[in-house]
Amino acid sequence: MPIENLIQTIAWITTQASLVAIGLFALSYAIGSLLKGAPVPFKDIKQFGSGLMNDAIRAAMELALWTSISSLISWIAVVISSAA
Amino acid sequence: MTMETGTMLGLAHSLAVLTYIFGVLIQTLPLPKHEWKAHGPDLLWDACVSELAIGVVSTIQLAVNALSSLLQSTIPGPFNSSTASFAVVMSQLVMIDAAIFLLISAVNATVVLVPIAEILARMLGSISNACTMAIVLWSTIYIVIQLFPAVWLTLYELGICFFAMPFRIGRKLGSYLMSGSIVLAVGLPLMPSLAIWLEGYIGYQGFLAQFQEIMCQIQSNPLAVAKLIELLPLAIGNLMAAVVIALIIFPLVYMFMLSAISKGLARLMGGSSGPTLTRFVLNPIN
């Protein structure tokens, strides 16, 4: 079935993208901590480093939370269905 | 749930997961581009909305059926089913068309009254045209009404698939498909019953009875046409006004109303707001 092949392809792309996201999280966190800890007297650079670390942590949490979010949405859907 | 439904929902789910992962990916980019990163939460939100839409498909189906039957039962017309109302509409139109044809044929058959037959043909030609147009219009509507119950859920699922696409590629189309399928599934079967109700409100039955009486008198006694012809313009005018308003203008206005409601619902779902793919690339949010 072409649609099933398409679903498998999308699932493969999703897996690759999540691997890239994990790699980018590590890279962003490393760059962020590097910039934050750099011995340079530039406040902007340090703030940018801090922002990178925050973004990376938030994204990693969202990545890890997907199963929980998906389950929560399914539960909300079930609640709506049972109320209807 | 059919196999096709499950497959479509599976596709929508996989697209929603992909959108979510892309949202996370954009947020983790180690670049000083806040305008790019701002799209990350948007994609996460889209994925969550799509997942919710996938979860409530059965509820939407139940709600649409319940709302449709509720509205059908509250219409102040004589019929509760769209098929019965449609049959009445078609029989009325065919009857008017046939009556005009028979009248002109009957008058034309008498050699003496051929000029009057020509005058009648000119007088009644416009109403015959209107009736034929209405028959075509209502036949089309009937085909769509018969077809739509089997199709609307697939359209809704297709809408979810478009809505769940990454980078909001098909968000607008998806929300239009979802809202349009719901609104048409509820509103379209009501159209024939509402048309019958509107006809009754205008006073179609009285005009039709008057017109039919004149037709019967002319057909039974064609030589009396000279006396009865002065009554025809008013009878035809009233009947034509009722037919045109209830069976030609009303369906068009009703379809326009449904499209406006559908557009509003699509906007409520977020189809007309939010950045498009070109905005992602060419004109990012500042």
Side-chain angles (χ1 to χ4, degrees), chain B residues 263-276:
Chain B
K263 194 175 176 184
L265 194 60
R267 192 164 290 180
L268 200 67
M269 287 175 178
S272 298
S273 62
T276 57

Side-chain angles (χ1 to χ4, degrees), chain B residues 47-69:
Chain B
C48 291
V49 172
S50 306
E51 280 291 319
L52 192 64
I54 292 164
V56 296
V57 164
S58 302
T59 313
I60 293 283
Q61 198 176 1
L62 279 174
V64 164
N65 291 339
L67 189 63
S68 190
S69 56

Side-chain angles (χ1 to χ4, degrees), chain A residues 1 3-8, chain B residues 1-15 51 53-55 57-58 61 153-158 160-161:
Chain A
M1 288 288 283
I3 292 181
E4 281 161 5
N5 289 341
L6 183 64
I7 292 170
Q8 283 176 359
Chain B
M1 228 179 254
T2 60
M3 178 64 191
E4 196 185 345
T5 302
T7 313
M8 292 278 279
L9 290 181
L11 179 64
H13 174 71
S14 58
L15 282 168
E51 280 291 319
I54 292 164
V57 164
S58 302
Q61 198 176 1
L153 197 61
T154 310
L155 286 177
Y156 179 79
E157 287 158 7
L158 198 65
I160 299 175
C161 288

